[in-house]
Amino acid sequence: MLSLYLEIPSWDNMLPFRSFEDLGKTVVPPHWHKEIEIIYVKSGSAYIGYDEQLIQVREGEIFVFGSGESHYFLASPDSVRLVYQFDLLLFRDQYLEKLDYKELIRLFETSENHSVNWPKNVTVSIQEILEMLFEEPMKRRIGYEFSLIGLLHQLLVFYFREIPKKAKTLEIGNFVEAVNQKETLERLNNIFIYIETHSQENITLEDVAKHVGFSPHYFARFFKKNTGQTFIQFLTEYRISQAKSMLSKEKMPMIEVSEKSGFNSVKTFHHVFKEQVGMSPLKYHKSIFGNN
């Protein structure tokens, strides 16, 4: 049975979206995350471990992982892959409040993962969207954030209208049972959303355990088993990720960064940040913006 660990993306901009290039011979061990992940093979090929199969994804092909779907891959030495990750929370805004978050999870979960099973014209259109999604964060021209949002909404429309459904959905037991059971995955998503919406508060393990209906002891075991981290490790990593995101976008007083990332004092924030990142928050900011 494969060991599964949660991956927590670190966002490069103000949106819960990132794209990057993977090169060469790579072995990525089994992992999962609540974000959607898209692999677009630009050259060479990659073998993707998914649904107890090893699937070859060749040049020009696309493979999409839904929220919580475990995967790993083995790439050929000449392989170049573009990787995209985004959080479905990106599509929840005040004008679309009635759009069910779980419906979006099911949309990706029930749609064909591999572009070889899509109509050719749909594949070509999505390739064009992916090229632009990769280019926009690289060039960072004015308004690029709005371009990213627009492109991701175009992608979503293709999922609603054009991409075919799977012949069968994954059965419980294909990966670690605790992760793939819908009830467990929904609880994990519920935990992550709770952390995201209360991150500026003094969150305790007891608070989150109560929120999902577990005893603190059972919750601690459940969380470690399904993420590979203790709750405190996860919360600290999440808060540092939030702080790094703020420090890389604008100049803010350290007390404000500290408060918005959920630390109860600047002193604690400074200590934990330096311990996790290897430099002080101010030095991290200067490494991006210089002395401006």
Side-chain angles (χ1 to χ4, degrees):
M1 186 174 287
L2 299 173
S3 297
L4 299 179
Y5 292 99
L6 173 70
E7 177 185 275
I8 309 167
S10 177
W11 307 121
D12 302 321
N13 50 66
M14 65 185 294
L15 302 172
F17 167 88
R18 69 173 180 169
S19 58
F20 55 92
E21 189 176 61
D22 262 2
L23 304 170
K25 190 174 183 180
T26 308
V27 178
V28 178
H31 66 284
W32 69 280
H33 35 75
K34 73 185 187 72
E35 294 77 20
I36 304 300
E37 178 167 312
I38 301 173
I39 306 292
Y40 177 21
V41 179
K42 294 290 289 178
S43 66
S45 66
Y47 283 92
I48 289 177
Y50 175 81
D51 189 19
E52 292 192 328
Q53 303 173 61
L54 201 57
I55 301 165
Q56 187 175 22
V57 183
R58 297 178 174 87
E59 185 172 321
E61 295 177 2
I62 300 161
F63 202 93
V64 183
F65 304 103
S67 176
E69 293 182 344
S70 169
H71 53 278
Y72 64 95
F73 70 87
L74 315 166
S76 63
D78 60 339
S79 174
V80 177
R81 289 92 51 203
L82 300 184
V83 181
Y84 308 79
Q85 294 176 331
F86 58 90
D87 195 321
L88 289 172
L89 288 172
L90 188 147
F91 300 107
R92 296 178 75 181
D93 63 35
Q94 58 180 323
Y95 301 109
L96 296 172
E97 285 179 350
K98 292 183 180 178
L99 187 63
D100 187 355
Y101 179 66
K102 291 178 184 177
E103 181 188 348
L104 293 182
I105 292 175
R106 285 193 295 271
L107 178 66
F108 282 89
E109 185 181 72
T110 57
S111 298
E112 279 288 357
N113 303 77
H114 197 173
S115 63
V116 295
N117 300 313
W118 303 348
K120 179 63 179 174
N121 65 312
V122 172
T123 300
V124 171
S125 296
I126 291 180
Q127 284 172 336
E128 291 171 359
I129 290 172
L130 294 178
E131 294 284 0
M132 289 186 282
L133 278 171
F134 186 76
E135 181 182 294
E136 284 290 354
M138 294 283 286
K139 293 187 175 179
R140 294 196 174 224
R141 293 174 293 182
I142 187 167
Y144 82 94
E145 298 96 338
F146 294 99
S147 178
L148 287 176
I149 292 170
L151 290 165
L152 287 167
H153 277 84
Q154 286 182 47
L155 181 67
L156 196 61
V157 172
F158 273 103
Y159 266 84
F160 275 116
R161 297 179 180 177
E162 306 289 346
I163 292 181
K165 298 299 179 187
K166 291 176 183 171
K168 68 178 184 70
T169 54
L170 297 184
E171 298 176 2
I172 293 170
N174 285 350
F175 307 129
V176 173
E177 185 176 88
V179 172
N180 279 279
Q181 286 177 338
K182 285 191 178 297
E183 183 181 352
T184 299
L185 182 54
E186 285 174 5
R187 278 197 170 120
L188 287 166
N189 275 324
N190 195 7
I191 291 164
F192 301 143
I193 292 168
Y194 182 89
I195 291 169
E196 287 167 348
T197 54
H198 294 82
S199 62
Q200 295 182 30
E201 302 168 21
N202 181 29
I203 303 173
T204 66
L205 182 148
E206 287 74 18
D207 292 333
V208 187
K210 183 178 180 181
H211 177 71
V212 292
F214 289 160
S215 71
H217 178 69
Y218 183 81
F219 171 76
R221 288 173 52 220
F222 169 87
F223 194 88
K224 179 70 185 290
K225 178 182 178 181
N226 290 294
T227 67
Q229 294 177 298
T230 68
F231 174 72
I232 297 302
Q233 286 172 332
F234 175 89
L235 184 60
T236 300
E237 189 170 324
Y238 176 80
R239 285 177 165 159
I240 292 298
S241 176
Q242 294 293 96
K244 285 169 71 177
S245 178
M246 283 182 266
L247 290 166
S248 64
K249 287 200 287 280
E250 56 185 308
K251 190 169 184 177
M252 294 171 61
M254 286 302 158
I255 188 168
E256 189 177 346
V257 177
S258 172
E259 288 173 353
K260 286 188 173 181
S261 51
F263 291 92
N264 56 18
S265 75
V266 176
K267 186 178 178 181
T268 301
F269 168 59
H270 186 279
H271 173 75
V272 175
F273 191 97
K274 191 170 183 180
E275 187 176 65
Q276 295 284 319
V277 183
M279 65 179 76
S280 71
L282 184 59
K283 193 169 181 180
Y284 179 82
H285 178 80
K286 285 181 177 178
S287 72
I288 297 170
F289 294 101
N291 293 317
N292 297 328

